[in-house]
Amino acid sequence: MTLSQLESRLATILGPSGWWPADSPTEILVGAILVQNTNWRNVAASLANLRAATGFTPRRLFALSTAQLQPLIRPSGFYRNKARAILALGQWLATRNDDLTAIAALPPAQLRQELLALPGIGPETADAMRLYVFDQPTFIADHYCRRLFTWLGQPAETYAKLRAQTKAVDAWPLHAAQELHGLIDNFGKTVKTAADFAVSPLADVKLTLPAGPWEENL
């Protein structure tokens, strides 16, 4: 089964992913930081706090001091590091005049490197921001994905290797790339163990990906 066929099968099983759940690009950017090393329930609590305090107006959000921001995002855990990352993101956006359209027009490799240079933003977070805010199709090799792909016969030792194997997604239509990620994550939220997978609709599926060798560039 190819990646495209996997997306079609998941869509048949699950329906539209509804991902990313947010009311604004700013909320997605912040949510991509907050979801690191926690579950979405905790993220939702932090987002609710921020929405009440700032309405996710960039000017109000990024004007918060560290002391003001940390209690608001405490439910997400690692709130000191995440506060630092959020405020650094705000400073970076300001250097580009908060112009999300202009940022989205940057070459994908350049935008990715600029995001990765910010504190607290790793490959998964940078790719999520590019895919859901800056409209650059890409594959997000997150925990749910790597677990599913292992069950499908395509284990990947690193994020970079799996991203290289799924490079074709960069040329997909934007909505298809977004849906692939959302569907994989939705599947992973209910199919959590090998035993779950063995009785799932994908139990008989084997995934086909291009063979290596790969350059594992982040």
Side-chain angles (χ1 to χ4, degrees):
M1 177 178 284
T2 66
L3 274 177
S4 181
Q5 290 168 335
L6 175 63
E7 181 188 12
S8 296
R9 176 76 72 90
L10 287 171
T12 299
I13 296 167
L14 301 173
S17 73
W19 202 255
W20 190 290
D23 295 326
S24 70
T26 302
E27 185 174 346
I28 296 174
L29 290 169
V30 173
I33 292 172
L34 294 178
V35 77
Q36 297 169 2
N37 301 304
T38 192
N39 60 59
W40 193 256
R41 187 186 314 109
N42 294 335
V43 174
S46 293
L47 292 175
N49 291 341
L50 290 171
R51 189 177 299 108
T54 71
F56 281 107
T57 302
R59 178 180 57 81
R60 294 174 61 190
L61 173 65
F62 297 123
L64 292 173
S65 67
T66 299
Q68 291 170 322
L69 180 57
Q70 286 183 355
L72 297 173
I73 64 171
R74 192 176 188 122
S76 298
F78 302 97
Y79 59 92
R80 293 184 180 88
N81 289 338
K82 291 178 181 180
R84 178 170 173 254
I86 290 169
L87 295 177
L89 174 67
Q91 293 171 353
W92 174 75
L93 290 170
T95 66
R96 292 194 167 275
N97 301 312
D98 296 311
D99 189 339
L100 300 185
T101 300
I103 294 172
L106 293 172
Q110 178 184 341
L111 175 55
R112 194 169 194 267
Q113 287 305 313
E114 289 195 24
L115 290 170
L116 288 173
L118 298 174
I121 295 183
E124 183 179 325
T125 302
D127 288 337
M129 290 176 174
R130 290 199 304 117
L131 179 59
Y132 287 101
V133 175
F134 300 114
D135 296 344
Q136 295 186 350
T138 192
F139 188 83
I140 303 172
D142 65 5
H143 167 72
Y144 291 121
C145 170
R146 294 196 297 274
R147 185 174 68 190
L148 174 59
F149 280 27
T150 297
W151 292 332
L152 295 175
Q154 291 288 350
E157 296 83 4
T158 65
Y159 186 100
K161 178 181 177 181
L162 188 51
R163 181 172 176 271
Q165 288 180 288
T166 55
K167 190 70 174 174
V169 176
D170 292 6
W172 282 22
L174 177 64
H175 180 71
Q178 292 174 337
E179 277 297 281
L180 178 62
H181 173 71
L183 289 166
I184 289 172
D185 276 18
N186 286 348
F187 184 84
K189 289 171 186 174
T190 56
V191 181
K192 301 178 180 179
T193 67
D196 293 337
F197 181 75
V199 295
S200 78
L202 296 183
D204 62 342
V205 170
K206 291 299 180 184
L207 183 65
T208 300
L209 294 175
W214 306 108
E215 292 185 14
E216 296 197 13
N217 295 323
L218 290 178

